[in-house]
């Protein structure tokens, strides 16, 4: 996949929708009755990169403070949704050790690699960082697909879509945009901004809600590369 072309296409299409008012508001984000949970393998950016991200988010907050902004603790890149969030999932339904047993040897055979967050893109419902990855991440993903295919463990890998990017969602639209023109102008300002390059030394298997909020996330295991 040509990531630059993919992110640009997504941006151009979404920018037009947002400008025309055809964006999507997430009505579940503040709901107390959202019981969607799952387990995910994630990567966390380093502190320097997080600082740069929050600089951007603070500028957006000054324009429209009422949207949903990701805190440092919640920032992540999804390596693989092992069990995509759904209503009714409970950790008691699975044996976490069985999942660790599949994932650990896969991660262990790969070396550290780098990810660069450069630029902003958008979808009709959120603002995302453009993550650029090396072949290693997708090799790990392919190995995970094979590894879980050969088990009878509960999983939903690639059921929604086959993940190939390293994006990170940083803003979700939780209500009507008050200043969408200013928002788009600011996103354009950061369109090619270099938020940082960090080396990935480990990955976390977590139990999580749809938004990866710290108050719901439970780290199940950490894997070293």
């Amino acid at each position: 996949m040509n990531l630059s072309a993919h992110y640009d296409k997504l941006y151009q299409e979404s920018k037009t929708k947002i400008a025309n008012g055809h964006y999507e508001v997430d009505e579940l984000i503040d709901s107390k009755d959202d019981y969607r949970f799952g387990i995910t393998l994630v990567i966390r950016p380093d502190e320097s990169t997080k600082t740069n991200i929050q600089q951007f988010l603070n500028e957006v907050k000054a324009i429209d403070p009422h949207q949903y902004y990701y805190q440092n603790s919640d920032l992540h890149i999804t390596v693989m949704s092992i069990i995509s969030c759904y209503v009714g999932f409970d950790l008691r339904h699975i044996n976490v050790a069985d999942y660790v047993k599949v994932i650990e040897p896969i991660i262990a055979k790969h070396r550290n690699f780098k990810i660069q967050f450069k630029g902003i893109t958008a979808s009709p419902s959120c603002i995302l960082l453009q993550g650029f990855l090396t072949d290693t991440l997708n090799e790990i993903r392919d190995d995970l697909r094979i590894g879980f295919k050969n088990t009878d463990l509960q999983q939903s890998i690639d059921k929604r879509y086959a993940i190939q990017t390293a994006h990170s969602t940083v803003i979700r639209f939780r209500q009507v945009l008050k200043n969408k023109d200013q928002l788009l102008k600011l996103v354009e300002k950061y369109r090619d901004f270099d938020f940082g390059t960090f080396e990935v030394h480990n990955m976390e298997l977590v139990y999580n809600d749809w938004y990866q909020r710290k108050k719901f996330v439970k780290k199940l295991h950490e894997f070293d590369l």
Side-chain angles (χ1 to χ4, degrees), residues 1-11 121 130 165 167:
M1 174 187 282
N2 182 325
L3 278 179
S4 293
H6 170 77
Y7 287 136
D8 189 60
K9 182 174 184 291
L10 184 61
Y11 174 70
T121 188
Q130 297 181 157
T165 71
H167 68 268

Side-chain angles (χ1 to χ4, degrees), residues 89-202:
F89 174 72
D90 192 305
L91 270 180
R92 292 173 294 183
H93 297 164
I94 65 169
N95 182 359
V96 172
D98 291 339
Y99 289 79
V100 172
K101 194 180 295 183
V102 174
I103 298 169
E104 196 156 42
I106 290 171
I107 304 300
K109 73 178 186 179
H110 291 280
R111 293 180 174 273
N112 299 348
F113 61 93
K114 292 182 179 180
I115 289 178
Q116 181 185 30
F117 278 144
K118 191 172 191 299
I120 296 288
T121 188
S123 82
S125 63
C126 52
I127 304 298
L128 311 99
L129 298 181
Q130 297 181 157
F132 294 90
L133 59 153
T134 64
D135 290 340
T136 303
L137 180 53
N138 279 333
E139 287 169 3
I140 290 172
R141 286 169 170 160
D142 287 341
D143 288 346
L144 289 168
R145 291 180 176 106
I146 294 168
F148 277 98
K149 187 178 180 180
N150 294 327
T151 75
D152 58 1
L153 296 176
Q154 179 186 347
Q155 53 94 5
S156 55
I157 292 172
D158 294 343
K159 292 287 174 61
R160 290 177 62 225
Y161 59 90
I163 189 166
Q164 294 179 284
T165 71
H167 68 268
S168 183
T169 304
V170 292
I171 303 171
R172 291 184 184 271
F173 305 149
R174 77 192 322 169
Q175 57 181 255
V176 173
L177 297 172
K178 303 297 184 187
N179 297 294
K180 65 177 185 293
D181 292 339
Q182 284 182 270
L183 170 66
L184 290 172
K185 190 173 182 180
L186 187 55
V187 168
E188 192 69 40
K189 172 186 169 183
Y190 279 89
R191 185 77 181 92
D192 296 308
F193 184 82
D194 189 349
F195 289 90
T197 300
F198 58 96
E199 191 158 0
V200 178
H201 298 279
N202 53 57

